[in-house]
Amino acid sequence: MAEHDEGKENYAKKLAGKILAYTRDQLIVSMPYFNRAVLKMPVVYYRNGFEKMKRPEGFGTNGRRIICDENQVIACFRKEEGLLPRIYLHMVLHCIFQHPFHYDRLDSRYWDFAADIAVENVMIELNWDLLRTEGDRERIRLIEELKARVGKITAENLYHYFYMNPRETEALLGSAPLFRRDVHRFWDPEDFVNRPESLHKDIGLFDKNGEEWGRVTRGTKIQMDTYEKHQGDVPDVLADNILNVRRSRYDYSTFLRRFLSWNEEVHVNQDEFDYIYYLYGMHLYGNMPLIEPLEYRDTNKIRDFVIAIDTSGSTMGRTVRSFLAHTAAVLNESGDFFSHANVHIIQCDAKIQKDDTLDSPEEFERYLKNVELRGGGGTDFRPVFDYIEALQQKGAMHELRGLLYFTDGLGTFPGRMPPYKTAFVFLKTHQHIKDVPPWAIRLDVAEEDLALSDTDRLEIS
């Protein structure tokens, strides 16, 4: 009897494998610019991983593998022609758009819903017969309602709206099953910790920071541009989501750690050098290889650091406090940061309101508890740069290595490049933020992105 059951299970896996290979080939032929992403993840079968979740779905991904129940594969293939390609591409798009990464920092109910809507919207707007499924008319109706509230449908825009409007979101969450195609359990780093050790090798280690998929996303963008140049248009909705990934899905903690470093010793990480880009560039352009960004090694820490806070109306209150608390947590990671760095926190709107100098973690903690924000007028970035220049001329901040400016972005930039590294951290709103000058670094964050994870919280004894 056991041998019979084992033989039946092996047959089901072989049949499911053939079905998924056929589905994969359909996607590659129809959408060649997705070929690298579609081919990236092998399939493993993990039926017990779904039986315990009290959900009907039998599919998921951790960015390394597509994980599925072979019986669900067969059932979906029999049920509806477009269902399996839709599920397969749904999981691939999650990874291209970086949805599974930094999952532990987010409210999973809101992010699951937002990510599912975003990828389903892409596939609906692609308008291909291959991807049509039952229920699309109702999905389109709900998406149109959301567009009126959030603008462009990306997971980040949706999540921001859900996060800021919890009462309305509770009512909307009843529609979540309509957009759900896979389980997101495997996005949670805790899944790997709690998984039976025998399954670690089969399913693979979760790529928490999404570095591998970052390269795949960039490659997909290159392939889309090439396809559009030679064969036809690529739907705008794809470009919108990929652009949003490149601008927004960069963790603030990681950004700040990079920004704080200086005098980097550049070296190539040979394990991560991607020869596909090199050869693809040589083939496409003849003599111009496409090289992946180099890795950097930090050798020194800064001596002086300025945090400028835009205290105009749209960046007041808890948002500023969240930003400062997150920044303090990253600064405090290095036990000796404050022993050789003065931190100026300059409050400003259209003029300088206040300048506080902090030289210890304890002072930063007291500042966070007692800070009073001053301002509320319009925004002009120039006074901060003028103020710093005046201090430097007096001999203060002569070892200044960086300015971090937190703002809504609606201000006037200085006309010339300062002699120190400058980054603008823009608070995302539904207003248009113009581009920063070429000498400045830009990062867009939403208020919820500034929430600290448990591992990032400031702890001072």
Side-chain angles (χ1 to χ4, degrees):
M1 187 68 175
E3 291 181 4
H4 175 74
D5 291 341
E6 185 178 348
K8 187 176 180 180
E9 182 178 340
N10 288 336
Y11 174 77
K13 287 182 178 179
K14 288 181 180 179
L15 180 58
K18 291 180 179 179
I19 291 171
L20 288 173
Y22 171 70
T23 300
R24 180 196 62 204
D25 292 345
Q26 283 182 297
L27 294 173
I28 290 172
V29 170
S30 300
M31 293 156 276
Y33 38 83
F34 285 146
N35 60 5
R36 184 179 179 188
V38 170
L39 292 169
K40 178 173 174 55
M41 296 183 289
V43 174
V44 297
Y45 301 102
Y46 182 29
R47 184 185 305 168
N48 291 337
F50 301 100
E51 290 175 347
K52 298 176 183 178
M53 284 187 266
K54 298 180 181 178
R55 290 182 179 178
E57 296 87 353
F59 301 88
T61 181
N62 63 354
R64 304 276 190 184
R65 307 280 192 274
I66 285 179
I67 305 153
C68 60
D69 177 344
E70 64 270 20
N71 291 325
Q72 283 291 315
V73 173
I74 297 168
C76 289
F77 183 73
R78 289 172 174 167
K79 180 179 179 181
E80 190 179 355
E81 184 178 2
L83 185 54
L84 208 52
R86 183 77 163 255
I87 293 170
Y88 202 119
L89 188 57
H90 181 107
M91 292 184 286
V92 171
L93 287 176
H94 274 321
C95 295
I96 290 176
F97 299 153
Q98 307 281 285
H99 294 163
F101 313 116
H102 308 293
Y103 189 64
D104 55 336
R105 296 178 180 272
L106 303 166
D107 184 308
S108 60
R109 288 198 311 152
Y110 293 170
W111 185 247
D112 288 345
F113 190 29
D116 284 340
I117 293 173
V119 296
E120 287 295 299
N121 177 58
V122 166
M123 289 185 285
I124 288 170
E125 292 206 17
L126 288 173
N127 197 29
W128 286 324
D129 291 340
L130 174 66
L131 299 174
R132 291 196 177 111
T133 60
E134 293 179 6
D136 279 348
R137 183 172 297 178
E138 177 64 12
R139 294 182 188 96
I140 291 170
R141 184 188 69 78
L142 290 168
I143 287 170
E144 290 303 315
E145 290 181 6
L146 286 167
K147 282 181 180 177
R149 304 183 194 186
V150 307
K152 290 181 179 179
I153 299 295
T154 66
E156 289 76 14
N157 285 353
L158 288 164
Y159 182 81
H160 180 70
Y161 179 81
F162 296 158
Y163 185 89
M164 301 302 293
N165 300 277
R167 185 173 297 179
E168 293 178 38
T169 302
E170 287 303 315
L172 290 169
L173 282 168
S175 302
L178 189 62
F179 296 90
R180 187 183 300 134
R181 301 289 185 179
D182 62 339
V183 297
H184 299 167
R185 163 190 168 177
F186 306 108
W187 298 2
D188 187 348
E190 288 299 312
D191 170 69
F192 183 81
V193 175
N194 298 325
R195 188 191 307 157
E197 189 172 348
S198 59
L199 294 169
H200 283 189
K201 183 178 179 181
D202 290 339
I203 296 180
L205 179 63
F206 180 70
D207 180 18
K208 182 178 178 180
N209 294 320
E211 293 180 2
E212 291 183 15
W213 273 100
R215 290 191 289 276
V216 174
T217 299
R218 293 191 293 272
T220 300
K221 181 65 170 63
I222 291 171
Q223 290 177 309
M224 285 167 53
D225 292 343
T226 304
Y227 181 89
E228 194 164 37
K229 180 179 179 181
H230 296 290
Q231 300 189 47
D233 292 339
V234 173
D236 290 341
V237 67
L238 275 174
D240 288 343
N241 277 270
I242 287 180
L243 178 62
N244 204 63
V245 168
R246 299 174 76 190
R247 275 191 170 181
S248 302
R249 296 302 300 149
Y250 190 70
D251 174 62
Y252 175 64
S253 297
T254 304
F255 169 84
L256 183 55
R257 292 183 192 107
R258 292 277 182 100
F259 184 74
L260 291 172
S261 63
W262 66 287
N263 280 355
E264 298 95 342
E265 291 180 3
V266 180
H267 70 281
V268 177
N269 184 334
Q270 297 292 348
D271 294 332
E272 296 187 359
F273 185 81
D274 196 334
Y275 289 95
I276 292 177
Y277 280 96
Y278 181 91
L279 296 173
Y280 178 74
M282 294 296 287
H283 171 74
L284 182 63
Y285 300 111
N287 61 352
M288 186 170 70
L290 301 176
I291 305 298
E292 285 286 87
L294 298 176
E295 294 295 315
Y296 295 90
R297 181 169 63 243
D298 305 332
T299 58
N300 289 287
K301 296 185 178 68
I302 61 172
R303 295 292 179 183
D304 297 280
F305 183 47
V306 173
I307 302 171
I309 302 296
D310 173 6
T311 54
S312 63
S314 58
T315 51
M316 290 289 280
R318 71 170 188 174
T319 305
V320 169
R321 289 180 173 84
S322 294
F323 170 75
L324 289 172
H326 202 135
T327 303
V330 176
L331 296 181
N332 199 51
E333 287 177 353
S334 174
D336 61 349
F337 176 86
F338 285 96
S339 66
H340 53 259
N342 293 317
V343 177
H344 286 255
I345 300 181
I346 301 174
Q347 296 185 38
C348 47
D349 43 22
K351 62 181 181 179
I352 302 299
Q353 296 288 348
K354 197 167 187 280
D355 178 9
D356 292 280
T357 303
L358 312 176
D359 59 10
S360 72
E362 292 77 16
E363 280 199 11
F364 211 135
E365 184 181 33
R366 285 193 294 271
Y367 180 85
L368 289 174
K369 290 179 179 179
N370 302 305
V371 60
E372 294 182 3
L373 300 177
R374 302 178 182 180
T379 303
D380 189 338
F381 303 131
R382 293 171 296 181
V384 170
F385 292 86
D386 293 341
Y387 177 73
I388 291 173
E389 183 178 5
L391 287 177
Q392 289 179 317
Q393 288 176 352
K394 294 176 182 178
M397 289 197 289
H398 60 281
E399 294 186 34
L400 175 64
R401 301 296 178 179
L403 164 64
L404 190 67
Y405 208 129
F406 181 62
T407 174
D408 61 7
L410 303 176
T412 303
F413 295 98
R416 57 191 176 88
M417 177 180 174
Y420 46 82
K421 188 161 54 176
T422 302
F424 287 91
V425 179
F426 289 141
L427 180 67
K428 287 199 299 185
T429 68
H430 297 304
Q431 298 167 314
H432 175 67
I433 299 175
K434 59 186 177 181
D435 288 335
V436 301
W439 44 262
I441 303 166
R442 169 178 179 159
L443 178 71
D444 296 346
V445 298
E447 182 174 350
E448 62 274 12
D449 297 331
L450 298 174
L452 289 169
S453 70
D454 290 338
T455 56
D456 279 333
R457 298 197 183 280
L458 181 64
E459 295 181 1
I460 301 174
S461 56

